[in-house]
Amino acid sequence: MQKVALITGASSGIGLALCKRLLAEDDELHLCLACRNPSKARAACDALLASHPSADVSIVQMDVSSLPSVVRGAKEVKQKFQRLDYLYLNAGIMPNPQLNIKAFLFSIFSRNVIHVFSTAEGLLTQNDKVTADGFQEVFETNLFGHFILIRELEPLLCHTDIPSQLIWTSSRNAKKSNFSLEDIQHTKGQEPYSSSKYATDLLNVALNRNFNQKGLYSSVVCPGVVMTNLTYGILPPFVWTLLLPLMWLIRFFANAFTLTPYNGAEALVWLFHQKPESLNPLTKYLSFTTGFGTNYVKGQKMDIDEDTAEKFYQTLLDLENRVRITIEKSDHPS
């Protein structure tokens, strides 16, 4: 039976690089691109078919920052497919990133300079906003929209005979200190991106606890420091022009600087080939690239408390129940 992979945020960056690499690995795979912008999705589809003319590629319009859009897109997916083998939860945002200049200058002269530059720990803040659904945009886009998508697609994902995989694009920037069960949307802080990625790691653990027996397995990945539209918004273009040669040099000492979307997708592609039941749910899989350009994957134990993960999962279920009526009204206007 032909395998099916659905990828959110597939029209550019790591998502598009992942699509290209997956088709190179398995030209019989059906790729479903779940994208917010139809014209960009069509352009991505055309590019994939140009390099793989016989590939099966389809498009579903879906904006994970809009729950009605997620529900409509999931409905279309359920009409197209009987099962999903891979669901890559890749779409994400880091809106209006601001560099903490003081922390940046201090880190340059600290002994932890490589760690800080590869994780952006303490360097970035973001200005979040509220979506039409009433949620913080980063929380809804990076996590809750994807959670609703999983819930909607459970019938396609849960089959005990052949397991399916959820594969999340997380980050080394996922910090426990930026997340709170009392403020899961990070309304009171300045690092919503970090909070949303730590929330992703928590949800990943809880999903494995609750769904492994149903044939559904979840994993999280960090693509490393990759130059994408998300990254380029942090500094002016001329600064990146000056920094890029230095970053290529640093890669000889810090392999987390994968730099290109192709390299960053390494762990995502690696998981495509793994038996999910053999993976450790408390491990994050990291993409690395050596100074000479060789890609490899390494596992890293996550700083996750399993009881906290379960409490967070139950909180999301309660939140889903509260918004479900509103979602259904939006999907079936009178």
Side-chain angles (χ1 to χ4, degrees):
M1 182 181 294
Q2 184 184 37
K3 290 187 176 182
V4 180
L6 187 148
I7 300 98
T8 68
S11 63
S12 63
I14 292 170
L16 182 55
L18 170 64
C19 291
K20 293 176 180 177
R21 293 194 59 175
L22 288 179
L23 288 179
E25 298 287 327
D26 182 359
D27 58 6
E28 295 183 358
L29 179 71
H30 185 112
L31 278 184
C32 182
L33 317 183
C35 304
R36 177 179 56 184
N37 187 309
S39 62
K40 289 183 178 180
R42 284 192 293 271
C45 182
D46 290 344
L48 293 169
L49 291 174
S51 57
H52 300 274
S54 62
D56 284 336
V57 184
S58 58
I59 297 171
V60 171
Q61 185 176 3
M62 185 184 300
D63 181 355
V64 288
S65 69
S66 166
L67 299 187
S69 174
V70 170
V71 172
R72 287 192 297 271
K75 182 178 180 180
E76 185 178 342
V77 171
K78 286 184 282 190
Q79 291 170 344
K80 287 185 176 184
F81 308 108
Q82 293 183 323
R83 64 166 285 133
L84 287 177
D85 298 278
Y86 307 91
L87 175 53
Y88 282 93
L89 304 151
N90 170 72
I93 59 169
M94 184 195 293
N96 306 307
Q98 304 293 318
L99 181 66
N100 185 327
I101 299 298
K102 183 178 179 180
F104 176 76
L105 294 175
F106 178 79
S107 66
I108 291 177
F109 301 102
S110 75
R111 64 180 62 184
N112 295 321
V113 58
I114 299 296
H115 170 78
V116 173
F117 272 49
S118 60
T119 63
E121 184 175 343
L123 294 183
L124 298 175
T125 60
Q126 300 93 40
N127 295 320
D128 209 350
K129 64 181 182 181
V130 177
T131 67
D133 296 327
F135 297 105
Q136 294 299 121
E137 185 181 29
V138 175
F139 168 79
E140 184 168 12
T141 305
N142 294 2
L143 182 110
F144 193 57
H146 283 128
F147 175 71
I148 296 298
L149 178 61
I150 294 167
R151 297 282 289 158
E152 290 290 314
L153 296 179
E154 275 186 35
L156 276 63
L157 291 164
C158 295
H159 298 276
T160 54
D161 54 339
I162 304 176
S164 294
Q165 288 181 261
L166 305 173
I167 303 173
W168 298 81
T169 302
S170 182
S171 173
R172 287 178 179 81
N173 190 242
K175 298 300 174 186
K176 186 177 184 178
S177 59
N178 287 323
F179 177 83
S180 168
L181 277 176
E182 287 70 46
D183 184 22
I184 62 171
Q185 297 191 51
H186 202 72
T187 60
K188 300 174 183 177
Q190 292 185 303
E191 297 188 52
Y193 180 81
S194 175
S195 176
S196 73
K197 293 304 181 181
Y198 188 79
T200 295
D201 296 349
L202 284 173
L203 180 55
N204 167 74
V205 170
L207 288 170
N208 281 306
R209 175 184 283 190
N210 288 276
F211 284 93
N212 282 178
Q213 72 275 15
K214 299 178 182 179
L216 180 60
Y217 294 81
S218 181
S219 301
V220 285
V221 162
C222 175
V225 181
V226 181
M227 304 310 298
T228 65
N229 292 336
L230 198 105
T231 321
Y232 280 118
I234 298 171
L235 295 169
F238 78 91
V239 177
W240 285 121
T241 302
L242 296 174
L243 285 179
L244 273 174
L246 176 63
M247 294 171 71
W248 284 95
L249 180 63
I250 290 175
R251 197 163 73 179
F252 281 94
F253 309 97
N255 295 167
F257 284 77
T258 51
L259 298 183
T260 70
Y262 179 95
N263 294 341
E266 184 70 19
L268 296 160
V269 176
W270 181 83
L271 283 169
F272 177 78
H273 294 291
Q274 305 309 305
K275 292 183 177 180
E277 57 270 29
S278 69
L279 299 171
N280 187 336
L282 293 174
T283 296
K284 180 179 291 184
Y285 297 95
L286 314 178
S287 296
F288 287 101
T289 305
T290 68
F292 294 103
T294 301
N295 295 322
Y296 66 99
V297 176
K298 185 176 180 181
Q300 181 181 79
K301 190 178 187 303
M302 294 186 288
D303 182 16
I304 295 289
D305 175 76
E306 294 187 60
D307 289 337
T308 301
E310 186 62 28
K311 289 177 183 177
F312 178 56
Y313 176 66
Q314 294 301 324
T315 300
L316 291 180
L317 289 177
D318 291 341
L319 186 58
E320 178 197 1
N321 289 333
R322 293 204 299 270
V323 303
R324 179 61 68 178
I325 295 176
T326 303
I327 295 172
E328 291 174 353
K329 281 184 178 179
S330 298
D331 197 38
H332 300 94
S334 56

